[in-house]
Amino acid sequence: MLYCGVIYINFWSILTDLQILHDLIIHYRGNKLLPGNQAYTYIKTQPISLPKYDLSLHSQLHSDMDQGDGNIRYILSGEGANSTFTIDDSTGDIHAIQRLDREVKSQYVLRAQARHRVTGRPLEPESEFIVKIQDINDNEPKFLDGPYQASVPEMSPIGTSVIHLTATDADDPTYGNSARVVYSILEGQPYFSVEPKTGIVRVSLADMDREVREEYQVVIQAKDMGGQMGGLAGTTTVNITLSDVNDNPPKFAQKLYQMSVPESAPVGSVVGRIRAKDRDEGANAEMTYRIIDGDGRDTFDITTDPTNLFGIITIKKTLDFESKRSYTLKVEGSNRHLDPRYLNKGPFSDITIVHVSVEDVDEAPEFSAPFYYAEIPEDVEIGTIFKTVSARDPDAANNSIRYSIERTSDPGKYFYMDITSGALMTVLPLDREEIAWHNITILAMEMNNPNMIGSVSVAVKVIDINDNPPSLTQYYEAFVCENAKAGQLIQTVTATDPDEPTGGQHFYYSLAPEAASNPNFTLRDNQDNSAWILTRRGGWSQREQSVYHLPILVTDGEPPVQTATSTLTVRVCSCDADGNVLSCSAEAYTLPASLSRGALIAILACIFVLLVMILLMLSLRSHRKKPCLTDEEENVHENIVRYDDEGGGEEDTEAFDIAAMWNPREAQLGKLRQDMMPEIESLSRYVPQVCISGGIMATGDGNVHSYVLSKLYEADLDPCAPPYDSLQTYAYEGEGSVAESLSSLQSAASHNDHDYDYLNDWGPRFRKLAEMYGVIEANNSLW
């Protein structure tokens, strides 16, 4: 509400001090108020209303001492004096010299006094009065926070509150209707309405759908004077947004989805993704997916992506094109968050079909087992087949497979793999004490695609055979005191054996047969893998004999029984009464008087150096006999072998016998040609002539195949063999050749058809040849 200004004068001060009540005149727009007490009473009960912008306002102060001669001077002081209000110092008239605004300042406190114009002496005490500014309707209502943003859920019922608006009017609310505001809606019907007195905006149209229209702009007006004609008005804009509710069910864009995935895709790979679209947004559009039916529900899985919008189909089990080429999935997508108020618009789920095709991929060969295990005794013969592996091409083409050993898994080259049958055999002697386990890798390669290689591990355990004799644990050197008596223990011996029998080690000790009747010492077997050496007599003397050598026979208990003899050295020493050794001077008794220990060491060192030199010379001579080809040497691609003898044709049965290829064993036992010696020793004797399971027969082609493989393996093991293959090219002769056929076969039938007259033109050298073909005789007959 706007306040109106008034002028209020404290008449008690005027009556007491100035005595001018009857002369006080207040002008308001030219109208004179009643003087005296009537004016005072009127003023006290009904203040005078003054327009705040009216500059014609003036009041008059008058003193009864003023005789009109100009000796009285009126002075005005206080708030707004001389800036907002001024006084005529002769007449006492008060005037407003500036526009008054109640909203800036609603009242002023002024003081007035009458003084003598010449002397300046106060004639009256200073009087105080208050000027109040009366309000008029000069301010329109204002929305201080506009424009406004509001939201309301879609599908809200009529009357739902959207926002509460308040307009502020700077006029005096206690005076008239200047500050009484009424609200109305200018734009936004019929969707929204506003309450006139409260300013609350409400929904006026039911079932507004966000998916149809989401935003609305509403214009609200606030008018003072209670909305009457002449009132001032202000407007504001309210932007209203319909918030989403879950009132739309999801729908798949397609009823059938086609997807494909290669059979080599690993478990967990993504096949594809699908989405059930929902017209809602945010949490109301979030989905959850599941496979409810289909023959692929155990092979595939579906999850929701992090946005909760898409369904991601992944592989749960390994795929195989050859076993199953397609799968069908029945997938359901449903809303994650449901609103019970709109369940009647459901169901809030949808179903689609996903067809997944498995694409064929060329796969590596697969072995029949994930790994293989074999046991083989260490004394097995070379060439023994101890394991056969098998692999197949899982593809529909079912290509042929070739087997090999991965070189790094068998650095010692103890084994050989048959490339066609997968038979694993030994080619070198095995020693369990050296290598007890062999972990080799077998490779299977497709013939038509060498890049497709499968692998499998074969663990070969070498079974122990009692092939090592036992020996004493260490080199024993015992001593016996000169004062030792018969039956005294001088040494305890134990044995060791690198073999590991199943039942544990059991050793048996005895004196060697040549020492069975030894008069000095005896041996007692303790039956716990140890033995005691005891004296048989007393009366020992260093001078008589200072060193005794006692041969001990140690036998293990596993078949085949292994026996070894070790020698125990016993020295005779001088001891004190407690048996402590004082000295054992064996040097004087063991070495000749003229030969010292240093000289003996020097002799042995010379012998060792000579042996090393001899071995080095033999090694150099063997290398000189069989030089290895190096990269610097010239590559030899053709071999020319000269023979000085002439073959005897078909009757020569000793030149070459094909039976050696069919049966190498019989070839070695058969008749050998006397004038020729084989240059390379055959390894075919190591190849067993037995059947390979699932492979080649031991006779016929199988023997030839094994023979060739043995030669191939022999070449692989030869470090001096050329590291390349030689391709021999021979000129073609025959019907397609420029020289035509040079064969004499079937030449008898066509002999007469040839003309050999040109032989006479070749000169005397070919005369004999011309005679053989009858060219000369034919010419002579013509002559």
Side-chain angles (χ1 to χ4, degrees), residues 83-226:
S83 60
T84 304
F85 300 100
T86 185
I87 189 172
D88 188 341
D89 59 354
S90 299
T91 62
D93 293 334
I94 299 175
H95 301 272
I97 60 176
Q98 284 188 357
R99 288 182 177 272
L100 304 178
D101 191 351
R102 189 199 66 83
E103 286 72 40
V104 176
K105 190 171 181 60
S106 60
Q107 66 179 16
Y108 297 85
V109 178
L110 298 174
R111 294 181 296 276
Q113 190 175 32
R115 293 177 178 269
H116 193 275
R117 184 174 294 276
V118 178
T119 63
R121 179 175 60 84
L123 302 178
E124 300 285 348
E126 189 179 52
S127 299
E128 182 180 272
F129 59 94
I130 298 174
V131 177
K132 290 185 178 182
I133 308 302
Q134 182 181 351
D135 188 32
I136 63 173
N137 187 20
D138 61 340
N139 290 282
E140 73 278 3
K142 294 181 179 180
F143 294 93
L144 302 180
D145 299 326
Y148 297 89
Q149 303 292 332
S151 65
V152 63
E154 61 174 332
M155 298 294 172
S156 295
I158 297 176
T160 302
S161 176
V162 179
I163 189 173
H164 186 191
L165 302 178
T166 300
T168 302
D169 196 325
D171 294 327
D172 188 357
T174 62
Y175 182 80
N177 295 325
S178 298
R180 188 162 70 88
V181 179
V182 174
Y183 300 92
S184 62
I185 184 168
L186 301 182
E187 295 181 13
Q189 302 95 336
Y191 308 104
F192 300 95
S193 62
V194 63
E195 293 184 356
K197 295 182 178 181
T198 61
I200 298 176
V201 179
R202 298 184 182 273
V203 175
S204 60
L205 181 64
D207 298 332
M208 286 189 294
D209 194 353
R210 185 197 66 84
E211 289 72 32
V212 176
R213 182 178 178 183
E214 184 175 3
E215 296 183 351
Y216 297 84
Q217 190 176 72
V218 178
V219 178
I220 302 297
Q221 174 184 267
K223 189 175 183 180
D224 58 12
M225 299 299 292

Side-chain angles (χ1 to χ4, degrees), residues 581-630:
V581 177
L582 298 178
S583 66
C584 297
S585 61
E587 180 177 349
Y589 298 94
T590 57
L591 299 178
S594 61
L595 188 62
S596 64
R597 184 183 297 273
L600 181 61
I601 294 175
I603 293 173
L604 294 177
C606 292
I607 294 173
F608 177 75
V609 171
L610 289 175
L611 290 176
V612 171
M613 293 178 63
I614 292 172
L615 292 176
L616 183 60
M617 293 175 62
L618 292 176
S619 176
L620 293 175
R621 180 174 299 177
S622 62
H623 283 288
R624 193 174 295 117
K625 287 183 178 181
K626 190 177 182 181
C628 297
L629 293 179
T630 61

Side-chain angles (χ1 to χ4, degrees), residues 387-390 403 417-424 442 692:
K387 194 68 177 179
T388 300
V389 300
S390 62
Y403 302 92
M417 168 65 68
D418 187 90
I419 61 175
T420 58
S421 65
L424 196 60
I442 305 300
I692 299 176

Side-chain angles (χ1 to χ4, degrees), residues 148 184 237 240 336 343 352 405 440 465 472 626 667 685 694 704 754 766 768 771 774 778:
Y148 297 89
S184 62
T237 300
I240 301 176
R336 184 182 295 269
L343 292 179
T352 189
I405 297 177
I440 59 178
I465 299 297
L472 294 181
K626 190 177 182 181
R685 62 181 181 274
V704 175
H754 292 281
F766 295 92
K768 186 64 175 177
E771 292 177 355

Side-chain angles (χ1 to χ4, degrees), residues 659-728:
M661 294 291 289
W662 295 108
N663 197 337
R665 291 181 180 271
E666 295 182 3
Q668 294 178 4
L669 299 177
K671 183 173 70 172
L672 300 177
R673 184 167 178 169
Q674 300 299 324
D675 58 344
M676 297 180 63
M677 294 298 292
E679 296 180 0
I680 302 176
E681 183 181 359
S682 174
L683 291 181
S684 61
R685 62 181 181 274
Y686 296 127
V687 180
Q689 308 301 320
V690 295
C691 294
I692 299 176
S693 59
I696 305 172
M697 296 298 294
T699 61
D701 294 341
N703 290 335
V704 175
H705 178 70
S706 300
Y707 178 80
V708 173
L709 290 181
S710 299
K711 289 297 183 180
L712 177 62
Y713 189 78
E714 181 184 51
D716 290 341
L717 294 179
D718 188 0
C720 296
Y724 48 80
D725 296 333
S726 297
L727 177 63
Q728 307 298 337

Side-chain angles (χ1 to χ4, degrees), residues 750-760 762 773 775 778-779:
S750 59
H751 178 267
N752 297 328
D753 298 336
H754 292 281
D755 185 7
Y756 298 100
D757 291 341
Y758 59 86
L759 295 177
N760 292 322
W762 287 7
Y773 284 92
V775 175
N779 294 335

